[in-house]
Amino acid sequence: MSTIWAEVMAVLPPKLEDINLKFNKIVSESLIFLLKQAAMLLYEGQDIAECLQMSQTIIDYSWEKLNVGTWKDVDKEWRRVFSYGCLFKAVCLCKDGSAFREAIETCDKGLLMGMAIMDNILIRLVKVLQNHNKPKKRSLEDVGSHQNSCHKRLQVALPLIKEIQTGMEVPRVHCPSLERFRAQHLIPHKPVILQGIVDHWPAVKDSKWSVEYIREIAGCRTVPVELGSRYTDEAWSQTLMTVGEFIDKYILHQEEGNPIGYLAQHQLFEQIPELRQDIHIPDYCCLGDKDEDEITINAWFGPTGTVSPLHQDPQHNFLTQVVGQKYIRLYSPEETPKLYPHPTHLLHNTSQVDVENPDLANYPEFELGNFQECILNPGEVLFIPVKYWHYVRSLNISFSVSFWWS
């Protein structure tokens, strides 16, 4: 038995009976039987090819169930079934010790589309697999060549930002006390840029989160990527790819004519705990009404020119800039009538107006709206109060972390 196979099997429970394959009535007895057969073959370790085929059948069947209707209406049992299918397939792929990349990709699909099962076993399995799938170190010449060419493109393509208007800029405060923040910003819902509160983050200290570091830690991991300049465009779409592929195609090589790629609003830190260790939840979140584990942490990683259209969110947000800069414009909820929200329920929290190129013939009241604006720099944290409208555009390669809290 190979070393990797022994390590992988050690992630599973010691006995077959310890795997909980009980589901509610929505999952048929025949599918549960197939799950049990796959698990049995896995533990026997003999007919792995048949186990692999069964696992793929489970994945394909549950995938169909995941894609019927809207995501919020998908029964969680189908997500559990999908995760078990991905688990069994990933383990099978490790038998001959050569399909680590496909096994990691399979685990990631289970993490993205399925449910947490067996004490986050997919995350623990990926950790084992990554130890046997170390990426080759790129030469300094190769890295330097990429960075130099990328820097040259940024110098040419960097969008011009008009000077921030005097009196319209978001105020900056250095490490305010909890009480001061609560009294002057949280209670009255006033945006502010907090400085000095994330300087201790490993991600921020010594500019740890370089493109090459992200590739080293997460290059083989599969993530959802948005394609298109903004999610309101008709041509906008999403796809799955590895972080390494995303970096090569959309960060280091922005081919003219290709859509912008954006790893946006993704809970990357749940998927990749190694990156979660590089950041910390801001202390000010303790002023909220909910527990720390109810705070939603999202990653926003992309090239120059990514845009989040003018929109509002149902929770407070600490938008933390780790790499690069972003131009941000903010409107109070009181300005909503002048911002022309989409009439459809799906986009009711998004404005119809292109903030930096408004069609004033169709949206004449927009220019009358009062706003604040800023350029958010590395190490700065922007407090965006609940329901505050905000427009965001990256000015260069950018990595931001958002903390949504109530």
Side-chain angles (χ1 to χ4, degrees):
M1 182 180 290
S2 67
T3 302
I4 178 61
W5 179 251
E7 290 182 37
V8 167
M9 290 303 293
V11 176
L12 296 173
K15 296 183 294 185
L16 174 61
E17 305 82 64
D18 294 331
I19 294 183
N20 176 21
L21 294 176
K22 295 179 181 179
F23 301 88
N24 65 26
K25 293 181 179 180
I26 197 170
V27 181
S28 67
E29 289 295 329
S30 59
L31 185 57
I32 294 175
F33 176 78
L34 194 63
L35 282 158
K36 290 180 177 179
Q37 284 293 107
M40 183 180 68
L41 290 172
L42 199 61
Y43 272 78
E44 290 177 351
Q46 299 300 320
D47 199 345
I48 294 299
E50 184 178 353
C51 181
L52 184 61
Q53 187 174 4
M54 286 183 178
S55 302
Q56 190 61 55
T57 299
I58 293 166
I59 290 172
D60 292 341
Y61 187 83
S62 54
W63 177 259
E64 290 296 323
K65 297 295 184 180
L66 295 180
N67 286 278
V68 174
T70 59
W71 180 249
K72 67 180 177 65
D73 295 326
V74 173
D75 195 292
K76 291 182 179 180
E77 292 292 81
W78 290 120
R79 295 177 63 190
R80 284 184 63 220
V81 171
F82 185 77
S83 290
Y84 276 109
C86 290
L87 171 64
F88 297 159
K89 178 181 177 180
V91 175
C92 287
L93 289 169
C94 298
K95 180 62 174 177
D96 65 1
S98 62
F100 299 130
R101 185 185 178 99
E102 186 179 355
I104 292 172
E105 180 182 354
T106 301
C107 288
D108 277 329
K109 287 181 178 178
L111 289 168
L112 292 171
M113 304 298 293
M115 290 279 291
I117 57 171
M118 300 169 61
D119 192 26
N120 284 317
I121 192 171
L122 290 174
I123 289 178
R124 290 185 283 118
L125 179 56
V126 167
K127 189 171 183 179
V128 171
L129 296 175
Q130 282 189 299
N131 290 332
H132 294 269
N133 189 56
K134 296 293 185 182
K136 294 181 179 178
K137 290 287 186 180
R138 304 169 76 193
S139 69
L140 292 176
E141 291 80 2
D142 185 31
V143 173
S145 174
H146 277 306
Q147 291 175 337
N148 288 337
S149 61
C150 183
H151 179 65
K152 290 176 182 176
R153 283 195 299 277
L154 289 175
Q155 285 182 321
V156 174
L158 188 63
L160 295 176
I161 280 291
K162 62 185 180 182
E163 186 176 344
I164 302 298
Q165 299 181 41
T166 302
M168 307 295 284
E169 67 272 18
V170 179
R172 285 174 161 83
V173 177
H174 186 80
C175 293
S177 66
L178 290 175
E179 184 52 41
R180 179 184 174 188
F181 172 77
R182 182 177 181 275
Q184 297 185 7
H185 301 285
L186 180 59
I187 291 177
H189 287 193
K190 290 186 177 181
V192 65
I193 294 174
L194 304 174
Q195 296 179 312
I197 71 167
V198 297
D199 292 350
H200 62 290
W201 283 13
V204 173
K205 288 194 304 183
D206 303 320
S207 303
K208 182 178 180 180
W209 276 11
S210 66
V211 169
E212 286 307 310
Y213 174 77
I214 299 298
R215 184 201 297 278
E216 180 181 346
I217 297 297
C220 65
R221 306 302 299 275
T222 298
V223 292
V225 173
E226 298 182 359
L227 300 179
S229 59
R230 59 195 75 198
Y231 64 77
T232 50
D233 291 350
E234 288 186 8
W236 181 89
S237 64
Q238 288 182 299
T239 189
L240 293 176
M241 66 179 66
T242 67
V243 172
E245 291 167 342
F246 169 67
I247 288 173
D248 286 335
K249 190 169 183 179
Y250 296 104
I251 299 295
L252 297 180
H253 294 102
Q254 297 179 46
E255 297 293 336
E256 189 172 346
N258 280 355
I260 288 178
Y262 196 12
L263 200 172
Q265 197 175 322
H266 176 48
Q267 294 183 30
L268 185 69
F269 307 102
E270 286 190 9
Q271 184 183 359
I272 308 175
E274 295 91 336
L275 290 177
R276 176 66 178 84
Q277 296 170 8
D278 289 338
I279 64 174
H280 303 288
I281 293 175
D283 291 341
Y284 303 94
C285 290
C286 74
L287 298 171
D289 298 327
K290 297 186 177 180
D291 295 333
E292 186 173 291
D293 58 4
E294 296 182 81
I295 297 169
T296 302
I297 308 175
N298 282 319
W300 308 77
F301 180 30
T304 304
T306 60
V307 170
S308 293
L310 186 63
H311 68 286
Q312 56 180 186
D313 296 316
Q315 292 181 295
H316 297 306
N317 182 7
F318 281 127
L319 181 61
T320 306
Q321 196 65 18
V322 181
V323 176
Q325 297 171 300
K326 283 183 171 176
Y327 169 72
I328 301 170
R329 189 183 293 189
L330 300 159
Y331 291 84
S332 164
E334 297 174 358
E335 303 295 322
T336 297
K338 301 169 187 172
L339 305 183
Y340 302 90
H342 277 271
T344 62
H345 177 72
L346 185 63
L347 292 174
H348 71 281
N349 69 329
T350 303
S351 169
Q352 300 177 69
V353 183
D354 182 346
V355 167
E356 295 189 88
N357 187 29
D359 179 357
L360 297 179
N362 285 319
Y363 311 113
E365 296 289 312
F366 178 73
E367 65 177 345
L368 303 179
N370 294 314
F371 62 87
Q372 293 175 281
E373 59 184 351
C374 68
I375 293 178
L376 195 65
N377 299 308
E380 295 184 329
V381 180
L382 172 64
F383 169 59
I384 304 175
V386 59
K387 294 292 186 179
Y388 238 84
W389 293 85
H390 49 289
Y391 165 88
V392 185
R393 176 160 63 85
S394 64
L395 304 182
N396 34 45
I397 293 175
S398 169
F399 202 126
S400 311
V401 180
S402 63
F403 299 86
W404 288 343
W405 58 290
S406 297

